[in-house]
Amino acid sequence: MAVGRMLRAAGACTQMNKPLHRDIAEALAAVEGDFSRDEGPHPVDRHVGLRIRMRRKEIGVSQERLAEALGITFQQVQKYERGANRVSASKLWEIARALKTSVSYFYEGLASEDPVAHREDAQDFMLTGEGLELMAAFPRITQPALRRKLVELVRTVSEES
């Protein structure tokens, strides 16, 4: 594996570093086995992008304003939101500051036990006009019982479709 050759070439493969080297190699193999680059954006990149878009819409910031605050083009913001381009750690930190939230906000809802296909379907829906409108309106319903009834209604209608 290329990582192993690089570590050995750098003289990093001492007795003390061998377990770390194996951990890195195993992690890379697991990631490569779980997701092929030919399948589009990685689900985590899509999730982070969706959360960027959700937060931006929630506080009423346009893509242009966010791009200006970050010193990038609005097209780059679009690519981040679609998950087409990965957001670096430093850029995510800047986005969090610009959108007045924490970096962890962008990872909320990512659970390893969630099926990827289900999460992608939900993300696709949330990026539609109806999904964005629903996400904006639902939290404004202050009565918990009414919110619960709406969830039950949607579940019932979806099961009958």
Side-chain angles (χ1 to χ4, degrees), residues 3-25:
V3 172
R5 285 192 299 270
M6 290 182 344
L7 288 172
R8 281 190 294 281
C13 229
T14 64
Q15 190 66 20
M16 194 168 89
N17 290 337
K18 282 186 182 177
L20 176 61
H21 167 70
R22 267 187 253 120
D23 289 345
I24 292 170

Side-chain angles (χ1 to χ4, degrees), residues 57-130:
K57 293 270 194 181
E58 185 180 315
I59 64 172
V61 173
S62 69
Q63 288 179 333
E64 292 81 7
R65 278 189 44 213
L66 179 57
E68 186 178 313
L70 300 172
I72 59 177
T73 65
F74 80 92
Q75 291 95 338
Q76 184 62 42
V77 171
Q78 288 176 333
K79 290 177 182 180
Y80 286 155
E81 289 183 357
R82 284 194 323 267
N85 285 6
R86 290 183 174 163
V87 183
S88 69
S90 58
K91 191 59 71 179
L92 192 59
W93 182 81
E94 290 176 27
I95 292 169
R97 287 190 54 167
L99 297 178
K100 299 177 178 83
T101 191
S102 65
V103 171
S104 64
Y105 168 85
F106 301 109
Y107 294 97
E108 288 175 8
L110 253 182
S112 59
E113 63 271 6
D114 288 345
V116 170
H118 173 71
R119 190 168 55 240
E120 286 179 356
D121 289 344
Q123 289 173 349
D124 289 342
F125 168 72
M126 288 187 278
L127 290 173
T128 66
E130 294 89 359

